[in-house]
């Protein structure tokens, strides 16, 4: 796919098209604790091929298990029925006919043959000379040709090979250059390289073998998988290997989403990737793998398009001053403005505008104050919570309240009844009382009853019903809603309190009731 024509980029030439191979279902499944079921592999493969439009997918290692065989068969059947079979690849080994027969039995037609890319691996793992290893590879290639297979070749441990035994790497390449191998795939198997080394080694390969299609396969042990991948493209690589969410052996591989956006935005390189579905594939793999995506993971993290500071929302209101080319709509997402103690009125206004709620400046100020109070108790209030906060503040928190809570303390100890000490202001006068109860809220209400009975000579309404819930539509534990039904003579009063703390929510509902009857 694409052209290998070179275009100028700075002082170096790069390919205008970069082929992307995703190895989530093979290398990604080598993440500790990750094992995809066959139908999960099929769902991921379908989305990668059909929705993300990835160029190639590596879906398994040959001869692993019967379950793996079932998964590869399902994927190959799907790919063949949709004209995509040549985009499905399986890792195979230099084992005579065994790997090719296994892949062939699954319906596959592309083998990614794992050969040794360093003299150390060849001698110490295979216990063979370079000539013997080359002979074994040639026999597999001959059988692959008879089976009408396409062959890509991994030079495992290529990075160490170039560092410690470049003559061995060149000997392998010289022997296989004309063998019909479609792509030579150069892995940094142990994740040891830095971008300068990638540039040096890749340039040597490209200069020596200018007509060969080279892929680069990065590992992230030094947190340089993305930068090393880009260095490879910068030095002539025509293909890159990635995984969704950066899954992979040890520290993982280069993440698909990060590689895609940097290729496009910083290199002006072209790929076939549909960026609008990157978040979807990330969530699918996150769910199946059980490996959570970090909230600050670029492109696909939960928080990356959320502005927290109020000054950022203010700048966006004025001229998108805090936006860059990574606009969320590009990835099927939207920018959000966090609601919390750092929000400020600009964040609140942005959220209110999106919900279609219009408030006066004074009302917005009071809503902001309430959200700041909640933010001191919990990290985040969601946009879904906002309408309930607005309702709670504007309907029941009016400044003309005649009954106000001045201070209170509730405590509970093992084996002892909860105790409440309260001070309230009623029509400008402060009153205090202490009481015990069967629970913290019960102790609080009994102290209130004492004030109403002993100081005011008034009857306190009877609590008829008490319920606690998360506000309808809320998606976080930031808020608790308490609805209390009171009976005051023949009259029924229902009030609601909203807070991060259940007891405080109940206390707020109680004071709303007292201001109604006062």
């Amino acid at each position: 796919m694409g052209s290998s024509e070179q275009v100028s980029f700075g002082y170096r030439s790069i390919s205008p098209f970069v082929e992307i191979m995703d190895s989530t279902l093979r290398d990604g499944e080598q993440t500790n604790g990750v094992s995809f079921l066959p139908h999960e592999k099929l769902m991921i493969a379908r989305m990668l091929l059909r929705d993300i439009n990835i160029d190639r997918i590596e879906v398994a290692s040959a001869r692993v298990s019967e379950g793996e065989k079932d998964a590869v068969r399902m994927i190959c059947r799907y790919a063949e029925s949709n004209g995509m079979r040549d985009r499905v690849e399986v890792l195979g080994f230099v084992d005579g006919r065994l790997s090719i027969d296994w892949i062939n039995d699954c319906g596959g037609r592309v083998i990614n043959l794992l050969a040794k890319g360093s003299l150390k691996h060849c001698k110490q793992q295979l216990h063979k000379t370079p000539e013997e290893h080359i002979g074994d590879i040639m026999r597999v290639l001959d059988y692959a040709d008879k089976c009408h297979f396409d062959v890509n070749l991994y030079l495992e441990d290529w990075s160490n090979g170039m560092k410690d035994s470049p003559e061995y790497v060149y000997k392998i390449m010289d022997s296989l250059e004309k063998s019909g191998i479609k792509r030579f795939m150069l892995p940094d198997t142990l994740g040891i390289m830095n971008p300068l080394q990638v540039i040096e080694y890749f340039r040597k390969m490209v200069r020596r073998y200018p007509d060969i299609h080279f892929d680069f396969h990065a590992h992230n042990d030094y947190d340089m998988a993305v930068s090393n991948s880009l260095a490879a493209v910068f030095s002539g690589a025509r293909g890159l290997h990635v995984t969704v969410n950066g899954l992979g052996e040890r520290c993982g591989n280069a993440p698909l989403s990060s590689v895609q956006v940097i290729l496009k935005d910083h290199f002006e390189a072209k790929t076939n990737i549909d960026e609008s579905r990157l978040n979807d594939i990330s969530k699918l793999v996150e769910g199946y793998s059980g490996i959570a995506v970090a909230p600050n993971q670029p492109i696909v993290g939960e928080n990356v398009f959320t502005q927290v500071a109020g000054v950022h929302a203010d700048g966006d209101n004025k001229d998108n001053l805090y936006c860059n080319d990574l606009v969320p709509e590009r990835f099927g997402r939207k920018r959000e403005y966090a609601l919390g103690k750092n929000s400020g009125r600009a964040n609140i206004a942005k959220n209110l505008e999106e919900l279609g709620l219009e408030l006066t400046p004074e009302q917005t100020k009071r809503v902001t104050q309430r959200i700041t109070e909640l933010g001191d108790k919990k990290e985040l209030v969601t946009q879904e919570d906002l309408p309930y906060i607005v309702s709670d503040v504007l309907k029941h928190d009016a400044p003309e309240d005649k009954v106000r809570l001045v201070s209170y303390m509730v405590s509970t100890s093992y084996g002892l009844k909860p105790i409440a000490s309260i001070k309230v202001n009623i029509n400008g006068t402060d009153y205090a009382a202490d009481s015990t109860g069967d629970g913290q809220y019960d102790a609080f209400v009994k102290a209130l009853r004492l004030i109403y009975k002993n100081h005011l000579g008034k009857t306190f309404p009877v609590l008829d019903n008490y319920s606690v819930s998360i506000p309808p539509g809320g998606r976080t534990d930031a808020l608790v809603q308490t609805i209390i039904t009171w009976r005051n003579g023949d009259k029924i009063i229902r009030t609601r309190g909203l807070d991060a703390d259940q007891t405080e929510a109940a206390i707020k509902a109680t004071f709303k009731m007292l201001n109604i009857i006062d």
Side-chain angles (χ1 to χ4, degrees):
M1 291 187 178
S3 167
S4 61
E5 174 191 357
Q6 302 289 300
V7 295
S8 176
F9 186 91
Y11 69 88
R12 180 66 184 161
S13 293
I14 68 165
S15 173
F17 179 86
V18 180
E19 187 179 71
I20 305 295
M21 190 272 269
D22 183 276
S23 188
T24 303
L25 299 177
R26 198 276 299 174
D27 211 345
E29 198 178 27
Q30 292 175 201
T31 305
N32 185 32
V34 173
S35 180
F36 298 117
L37 296 172
H39 80 274
E40 293 174 338
K41 279 201 164 192
L42 176 62
M43 293 303 101
I44 294 170
R46 284 179 59 185
M47 181 170 280
L48 285 168
L49 291 170
R50 181 187 63 189
D51 302 323
I52 305 300
N53 199 32
I54 207 88
D55 297 298
R56 301 147 50 205
I57 57 173
E58 189 175 48
V59 300
S61 296
R63 301 171 53 204
V64 169
S65 68
E66 284 303 309
E68 193 81 330
K69 203 167 195 178
D70 290 340
V72 177
R73 281 176 176 151
M74 291 167 65
I75 294 169
C76 287
R77 277 198 302 267
Y78 167 77
E80 184 172 19
S81 65
N82 289 273
M84 302 175 180
R85 192 168 65 167
D86 62 333
R87 294 165 61 184
V88 176
E89 304 171 4
V90 179
L91 180 73
F93 308 97
V94 183
D95 54 10
R97 301 184 173 194
L98 296 177
S99 287
I100 291 178
D101 286 343
W102 191 94
I103 298 168
N104 190 41
D105 192 43
C106 295
R109 284 295 177 271
V110 184
I111 183 172
N112 291 343
L113 188 61
L114 189 67
K116 298 302 181 183
S118 69
L119 182 61
K120 186 175 183 180
H121 270 222
C122 181
K123 284 188 171 182
Q124 296 185 21
Q125 190 171 36
L126 299 183
H127 303 293
K128 294 195 174 186
T129 66
E131 291 76 16
E132 288 172 329
H133 187 38
I134 291 168
D136 291 340
I137 295 170
M138 294 301 292
R139 281 186 284 276
V140 174
L141 294 178
D142 183 61
Y143 186 58
D145 183 61
K146 291 177 182 176
C147 294
H148 307 290
F149 264 54
D150 284 337
V151 179
N152 304 313
L153 186 86
Y154 275 114
L155 287 177
E156 187 183 18
D157 201 36
W158 168 80
S159 47
N160 273 318
M162 290 299 291
K163 183 164 67 77
D164 301 328
S165 52
E167 300 82 7
Y168 168 83
V169 175
Y170 299 145
K171 185 179 185 67
I172 294 285
M173 287 296 306
D174 290 345
S175 300
L176 301 177
E177 181 182 8
K178 305 296 184 182
S179 64
I181 292 171
K182 195 167 185 178
R183 302 173 185 87
F184 284 82
M185 306 191 294
L186 310 180
D188 182 16
T189 303
L190 300 180
I192 61 166
M193 301 176 81
N194 63 52
L196 294 178
Q197 290 172 316
V198 174
I199 290 172
E200 177 189 352
Y201 298 156
F202 234 96
R203 285 180 177 176
K204 288 180 178 178
M205 297 293 286
V206 171
R207 276 198 291 262
R208 187 171 177 119
Y209 308 101
D211 298 325
I212 294 291
H213 175 119
F214 287 116
D215 282 1
F216 181 66
H217 181 104
H219 277 268
N220 204 37
D221 296 69
Y222 282 94
D223 202 21
M224 289 193 286
V226 173
S227 55
N228 284 344
S229 296
L230 300 174
V233 170
F234 196 62
S235 305
R238 299 185 194 176
L240 292 177
H241 296 186
V242 298
T243 59
V244 178
N245 299 337
L247 293 181
E249 189 94 26
R250 303 182 310 277
C251 301
N253 296 28
L256 164 63
S257 54
S258 296
V259 168
Q260 163 61 25
V261 298
I262 297 175
L263 280 175
K264 181 175 181 180
D265 292 3
H266 290 271
F267 282 75
E268 299 179 0
K270 293 179 174 60
T271 69
N272 285 321
I273 303 300
D274 182 350
E275 294 182 339
S276 69
R277 304 302 302 274
L278 288 176
N279 192 58
D280 294 334
I281 189 64
S282 172
K283 296 306 177 191
L284 182 69
V285 171
E286 180 182 38
Y288 285 157
S289 68
I291 304 296
V293 174
N296 62 339
Q297 175 76 22
I299 314 305
V300 295
E302 188 69 26
N303 295 346
V304 296
F305 297 117
T306 300
Q307 302 279 35
V308 174
V311 66
H312 292 173
D314 179 64
D316 288 347
N317 272 332
K318 290 172 179 174
D319 193 18
N320 291 325
L321 298 180
Y322 291 89
C323 296
N324 57 26
D325 287 341
L326 298 174
V327 293
E329 292 77 13
R330 176 175 163 186
F331 310 105
R333 302 183 65 181
K334 65 178 183 177
R335 193 170 303 283
E336 297 180 2
Y337 295 86
L339 299 170
K341 64 182 181 181
N342 295 313
S343 298
R345 270 182 279 185
N347 271 24
I348 309 301
K350 277 281 191 182
N351 281 278
L352 291 171
E353 178 185 337
E354 187 165 332
L355 290 170
L357 297 172
E358 293 185 14
L359 301 183
T360 66
E362 178 59 31
Q363 290 171 332
T364 302
K365 179 181 177 182
R366 288 165 57 199
V367 170
T368 302
Q369 288 172 343
R370 173 61 64 83
I371 289 174
T372 302
E373 292 170 8
L374 291 168
D376 281 331
K377 301 173 184 177
K378 295 280 186 178
E379 181 181 350
L380 187 67
V381 177
T382 69
Q383 190 183 69
E384 288 82 357
D385 296 322
L386 187 55
Y388 303 98
I389 296 172
V390 171
S391 177
D392 188 58
V393 169
L394 300 189
K395 286 184 179 178
H396 304 293
D397 205 19
E400 62 269 17
D401 284 349
K402 296 179 181 180
V403 183
R404 295 185 297 105
L405 178 63
V406 177
S407 62
Y408 80 95
M409 189 240 353
V410 292
S411 63
T412 183
S413 300
Y414 181 72
L416 298 174
K417 281 194 169 188
I419 301 171
S421 296
I422 70 170
K423 181 185 284 188
V424 298
N425 184 285
I426 303 174
N427 294 320
T429 303
D430 287 348
Y431 302 95
D434 304 316
S435 183
T436 62
D438 294 328
Q440 293 183 18
Y441 177 66
D442 184 55
F444 185 93
V445 170
K446 284 181 176 177
L448 268 178
R449 289 182 186 279
L450 289 175
I451 292 173
Y452 270 70
K453 179 181 178 181
N454 297 336
H455 295 287
L456 302 176
K458 290 184 177 182
T459 302
F460 198 89
V462 176
L463 192 152
D464 199 49
N465 194 25
Y466 179 104
S467 66
V468 179
S469 65
I470 295 173
R475 293 186 303 175
T476 78
D477 62 353
L479 296 177
V480 172
Q481 178 176 256
T482 303
I483 300 174
I484 305 179
T485 304
W486 309 88
R487 187 178 299 277
N488 189 30
D490 296 331
K491 188 177 181 181
I492 299 295
I493 303 169
R494 183 178 288 106
T495 55
R496 180 185 64 177
L498 204 66
D499 200 272
D501 180 84
Q502 179 179 327
T503 301
E504 286 205 26
I507 290 170
K508 288 177 180 178
T510 303
F511 274 81
K512 291 170 187 176
M513 175 274 295
L514 293 175
N515 278 287
I516 291 172
I517 67 170
D518 190 81

